[in-house]
Amino acid sequence: MAALKTGQFIGALDCGTTSVRFIVFDQHAEIIAQHQLEFPQYYPHPGWHEHDPVEIQQHADQCIEGAISELEKAGWSKDSVKAIGITNQRETTVSWSRKTGKPLCRAIVWTDSRTKNTVAHYEAKLQSTGIQVSPGVWKKGAEGIEALRSITGLPLSTYFSGIKLRWMIDNYPEVQKAHEADDLLFGTVESWVAYNLLGGVEKNIHIGEVTNASRTLLLNMSTLQWEDSLLEFFGFRKSILPKLVSTSEIYGDIAYGPLKGVPIGGLVGDQQAALIGNKCLKQGEAKCTYGTGAFLLFCTGGEIVKSDHGLLSTVAYQAGPDAKPVYALEGSIAVAGSAIKWLRDTMKIINSAGEINTLAAKESDSGGLYFVTAFSGLLAPYWDPGAAGTLIGISQYTNPSHIARATLEANAFQTRAVIESMKLDSGSDLKHLKVDGGMTNGDLAMEILADLGGFEVVRPEMRESTALGAALCAGAAIKAFGWDLSNPETLAQVNTKGTRVFTPAAETEERESKWKFWQKAVERSRGWDEGIDA
């Protein structure tokens, strides 16, 4: 057998909501090898969504092994992988034991809405007691809500990991015991996966990266430090929190497996990773990733732009431990690809996700049907956990093609709702939107997005932007290929092949008429199920 060649590649471990993949990239973002596996989803009660953290780790290990095996089959030595980055589904919350290194319960997934009553409880606490913003100074009521927003960039919502962690401590005796005995470690998925890859309980490297930390309701966005007043507000010990690290630096070497000894050089939440992968590193550039949900990030540069229109301020990335953070406005849409999955798996209208475009193309419009896909309430810009999924405008004329088309249109309308808010907050218009994720494979879905949104949609040929973002962070940490996140020009040669632009073809009048009906449909769906302070 011929000797294996040694190249210079960067690996990316992408731990998503339904699957894990490991991709090996070259300096131009060509994929050299990859391996992907789906992992089990658990829905024990209505509104609950769980993962087994051990299964996530096992799938991550298997994906690394599978991709390295493919790399060697292609004639490259595993020594060609010089560093890896990790990107992850954000807000999903993991609790494990400091002593054993094992999870204390299943992870609560970002889409999970069981914590409505926990949110209601802390909303009431914010009104009555408030938050201590400096020694002896408390802000409550409207001032308390504003104080929370100005510290974290976030509202109180079932979405964020601090609320999920509080629910775990309140409802799982083993988590509560561990918290009281100072045996609890809390982390989001990147924290858990890095902990294991870097040696687990023996090394005990408990780190959390700033873009993920900015989604916990516990981080001060300006200082990039854990905020003591919020730990006090939610009742958490500081010792359970990971040590904060930047998006691109060397955190340590992999402790086992085919990549033993290879440094981990990038950790980043998946939506921020896609922003980096789409090279939207400068103020005013925006991308939307259409996966299980859809996430639109608009880079605001070195300043935190406060949203008055239902968006979140979030950390976009920190290019190294000494670098200043870059911020973004974000609009999170809970349901995108998962609505297509629902049509496939539950309603059995289609046999595969790709079929939705073929089915939707059989009709030239949705026949007056509007689908508000509020399966677990509505996120940005509405923030209504009590909203219910609504199919409205149904008549005897309605057929499966109309439903398929209304599903694709729902995606476009939700995107537009977020973009309208971004324009108002940032004062700048959006010329084009860079897109990636599974849903963008359908040309019809992209045409509908451009038509109903009224902007250009830019789709690259290689759409693994999330994994690419993690690879760029890791490559920059080891100074590979001259990549430097603080200097976007150094990434000019990355992922430039085969980009396609979709331009709006619909008349303005038609677009605006449909937009009005969509807003009416959203109003009908709102406030169906209210949470209570139990």
Side-chain angles (χ1 to χ4, degrees):
M1 189 180 139
L4 295 173
K5 300 173 288 187
T6 302
Q8 226 195 345
F9 305 137
I10 306 292
L13 183 62
D14 180 354
C15 302
T17 307
T18 56
S19 69
V20 179
R21 68 197 84 183
F22 187 74
I23 302 180
V24 179
F25 292 102
D26 73 5
Q27 71 185 87
H28 302 298
E30 293 278 336
I31 293 177
I32 307 300
Q34 61 180 321
H35 195 76
Q36 180 172 355
L37 292 168
E38 287 201 0
F39 59 88
Q41 309 291 313
Y42 300 98
Y43 303 99
H45 302 286
W48 291 36
H49 186 184
E50 298 178 345
H51 290 155
D52 180 336
V54 173
E55 287 174 346
I56 292 177
Q57 189 60 48
Q58 287 167 343
H59 284 72
D61 293 343
Q62 286 164 14
C63 285
I64 292 173
E65 282 166 22
I68 296 307
S69 160
E70 192 182 302
L71 184 73
E72 291 178 335
K73 277 187 201 142
W76 296 101
S77 144
K78 65 182 181 185
D79 298 341
S80 305
V81 180
K82 302 301 181 190
I84 78 158
I86 300 170
T87 179
N88 59 293
Q89 46 156 325
R90 304 168 310 167
E91 295 96 20
T92 294
T93 303
V94 188
S95 287
W96 69 100
S97 158
R98 194 189 305 276
K99 286 204 288 280
T100 67
K102 292 190 166 61
L104 295 160
C105 59
R106 279 191 191 148
I108 299 181
V109 181
W110 62 272
T111 54
D112 185 289
S113 58
R114 77 183 68 176
T115 52
K116 274 183 205 162
N117 296 347
T118 311
V119 170
H121 171 76
Y122 282 100
E123 281 172 344
K125 186 175 176 180
L126 213 45
Q127 290 296 330
S128 59
T129 320
I131 325 175
Q132 186 169 218
V133 289
S134 57
V137 179
W138 294 76
K139 293 276 173 82
K140 61 182 182 180
E143 283 189 336
I145 293 166
E146 189 44 49
L148 182 72
R149 280 293 292 272
S150 65
I151 296 167
T152 64
L154 311 175
L156 276 175
S157 161
T158 57
Y159 185 26
F160 304 114
S161 17
I163 293 280
K164 297 178 197 299
L165 174 63
R166 187 65 252 173
W167 190 96
M168 284 177 173
I169 293 170
D170 292 340
N171 291 277
Y172 292 135
E174 53 276 40
V175 181
Q176 188 178 7
K177 274 189 213 123
H179 188 237
E180 283 167 10
D182 205 14
D183 180 40
L184 178 63
L185 296 181
F186 150 75
T188 38
V189 170
E190 93 296 352
S191 180
W192 165 250
V193 172
Y195 172 85
N196 286 291
L197 284 174
L198 294 169
V201 73
E202 278 120 59
K203 292 279 180 67
N204 211 20
I205 298 173
H206 183 216
I207 53 177
E209 178 273 336
V210 289
T211 67
N212 282 290
S214 78
R215 321 290 299 179
T216 59
L217 277 172
L218 304 173
L219 185 84
N220 183 316
M221 279 242 297
S222 308
T223 62
L224 295 195
Q225 298 297 319
W226 297 119
E227 178 63 39
D228 290 336
S229 63
L230 292 173
L231 296 180
E232 185 187 347
F233 178 72
F234 289 112
F236 297 139
R237 285 171 175 267
K238 195 161 194 176
S239 59
I240 71 176
L241 300 175
K243 173 181 175 256
L244 289 162
V245 293
S246 77
T247 314
S248 175
E249 62 179 274
I250 292 167
Y251 316 102
D253 294 344
I254 296 173
Y256 61 89
L259 293 181
K260 187 176 177 181
V262 173
I264 300 176
L267 293 175
V268 59
D270 55 6
Q271 302 314 322
Q272 284 89 340
L275 189 78
I276 296 165
N278 277 302
K279 301 187 287 188
C280 296
L281 300 172
K282 292 184 189 154
Q283 191 172 347
E285 295 178 323
K287 71 89 205 174
C288 194
T289 299
Y290 295 97
T292 305
F295 299 88
L296 210 148
L297 268 74
F298 179 94
C299 185
T300 60
E303 67 168 317
I304 300 171
V305 174
K306 192 181 142 297
S307 174
D308 295 319
H309 301 93
L311 303 179
L312 307 178
S313 308
T314 197
V315 178
Y317 61 93
Q318 186 190 12
D322 303 319
K324 286 197 163 71
V326 171
Y327 296 97
L329 277 172
E330 173 171 339
S332 313
I333 299 163
V335 173
S338 52
I340 297 171
K341 209 172 168 199
W342 177 73
L343 291 183
R344 182 192 73 188
D345 298 345
T346 308
M347 302 308 289
K348 312 268 190 260
I349 287 177
I350 49 175
N351 295 317
S352 70
E355 266 182 40
I356 190 164
N357 291 277
T358 320
L359 182 59
K362 288 181 179 171
E363 296 287 353
S364 58
D365 60 38
S366 64
L369 192 66
Y370 290 82
F371 187 5
V372 183
T373 51
F375 293 168
S376 51
L378 286 168
L379 298 183
Y382 310 106
W383 295 104
D384 184 353
T390 309
L391 256 176
I392 198 161
I394 300 170
S395 67
Q396 285 177 313
Y397 172 69
T398 306
N399 65 38
S401 299
H402 291 131
I403 294 173
R405 199 169 185 101
T407 306
L408 296 180
E409 288 186 353
N411 193 52
F413 286 129
Q414 290 234 60
T415 303
R416 173 163 174 184
V418 171
I419 285 171
E420 296 287 333
S421 295
M422 282 185 179
K423 284 183 196 168
L424 292 168
D425 285 329
S426 67
S428 54
D429 217 345
L430 186 77
K431 297 287 179 284
H432 61 256
L433 180 67
K434 292 185 177 178
V435 297
D436 61 88
M439 261 185 102
T440 62
N441 296 336
D443 288 356
L444 180 65
M446 295 301 96
E447 284 159 16
I448 288 172
L449 179 59
D451 276 353
L452 295 181
F455 43 77
E456 288 188 342
V457 174
V458 180
R459 181 181 73 183
E461 187 179 291
M462 197 294 292
R463 293 194 278 286
E464 295 288 358
S465 308
T466 305
L468 176 58
L472 292 175
C473 293
I478 62 160
K479 304 194 167 26
F481 318 125
W483 291 348
D484 179 355
L485 299 184
S486 305
N487 181 5
E489 284 67 38
T490 61
L491 309 176
Q493 300 308 306
V494 174
N495 201 22
T496 52
K497 250 173 68 176
T499 296
R500 180 164 172 198
V501 179
F502 296 85
T503 49
E507 296 292 330
T508 307
E509 202 176 313
E510 184 195 351
R511 179 183 307 126
E512 294 314 306
S513 160
K514 286 182 170 174
W515 175 237
K516 281 201 178 78
F517 271 108
W518 163 259
Q519 288 169 301
K520 218 162 135 185
V522 169
E523 281 312 309
R524 295 285 204 282
S525 82
R526 295 187 72 164
W528 183 257
D529 176 21
E530 301 294 348
I532 50 163
D533 177 9

